[in-house]
Amino acid sequence: MTKMENTIPKCFYRVSTKGLVVRDGKILLIQEKDGRWELPGGGLEFDQDIFDSLKREFVEEMGVNIIAITKRPMYVWKQKREKDHRLFVGYKVEIDSLDFKRSDECTDTEFFSKEELKDINLHINIQKFAKLFNPDDFNI
């Protein structure tokens, strides 16, 4: 363990915001360089607003803008990793375009049904989300 890891309390969770774009009952995922599929979004910095963070991540990863975000998260899940714990907060978002631009963090985008999520290479960050995801939650 590094000196910094020794100072982090055992109850510390790194928070990551995720954008949930759903169309026709399918969730939008981005493909990373290593081939794994992930939700768009990223780590929240200590001094950053949750919504600003999410908007920034969509621009950085896909080159698209968020035009609407729900006030409250739709899903919250956690993931224990080897070196830390992660808390993920997923907000329903609307974006201005599906015309994404490739980046180091996003080589492709695709919509997947709940059933299709079982058969693709999901990033560890969203494996629990895949079990929680219910397309009917987005029909409200």
Side-chain angles (χ1 to χ4, degrees):
M1 259 188 190
T2 67
K3 190 173 186 177
M4 176 143 177
E5 288 173 331
N6 287 330
T7 64
I8 297 175
K10 291 187 185 288
C11 64
F12 178 81
Y13 280 81
R14 169 92 166 132
V15 177
S16 183
T17 57
K18 298 294 182 182
L20 310 175
V21 180
V22 175
R23 303 258 169 95
D24 300 320
K26 295 184 174 190
I27 187 86
L28 177 70
L29 299 182
I30 61 174
Q31 190 171 42
E32 297 182 333
K33 278 184 180 180
D34 63 8
R36 295 181 298 175
W37 291 93
E38 166 72 292
L39 286 166
L44 181 65
E45 300 301 326
F46 288 108
D47 62 346
Q48 208 170 28
D49 176 82
I50 288 174
F51 301 116
D52 290 342
S53 171
L54 200 50
K55 290 175 185 177
R56 178 185 50 78
E57 290 288 345
F58 268 67
V59 171
E60 285 178 6
E61 291 177 359
M62 299 186 300
V64 299
N65 295 298
I66 292 177
I67 56 175
I69 305 175
T70 54
K71 291 182 181 182
R72 295 189 177 139
M74 295 198 61
Y75 296 100
V76 177
W77 67 100
K78 61 183 180 173
Q79 176 67 45
K80 183 178 180 184
R81 297 168 46 136
E82 188 176 314
K83 294 182 180 179
D84 62 9
H85 299 275
R86 302 278 171 113
L87 180 70
F88 298 93
V89 186
Y91 290 87
K92 179 181 176 184
V93 301
E94 295 293 327
I95 53 178
D96 65 350
S97 169
L98 291 175
D99 185 24
F100 86 99
K101 294 171 183 56
R102 292 183 186 272
S103 72
D104 289 341
E105 299 177 75
C106 175
T107 61
D108 199 2
T109 62
E110 192 169 329
F111 284 90
F112 294 95
S113 69
K114 181 164 179 76
E115 286 301 311
E116 291 169 326
L117 293 176
K118 297 174 185 175
D119 299 323
I120 61 173
N121 186 13
L122 291 177
H123 193 288
I124 189 171
N125 290 345
I126 65 165
Q127 290 174 0
K128 286 185 179 179
F129 166 79
K131 294 175 184 174
L132 296 171
F133 174 59
N134 181 349
D136 292 337
D137 293 342
F138 295 82
N139 295 331
I140 298 171

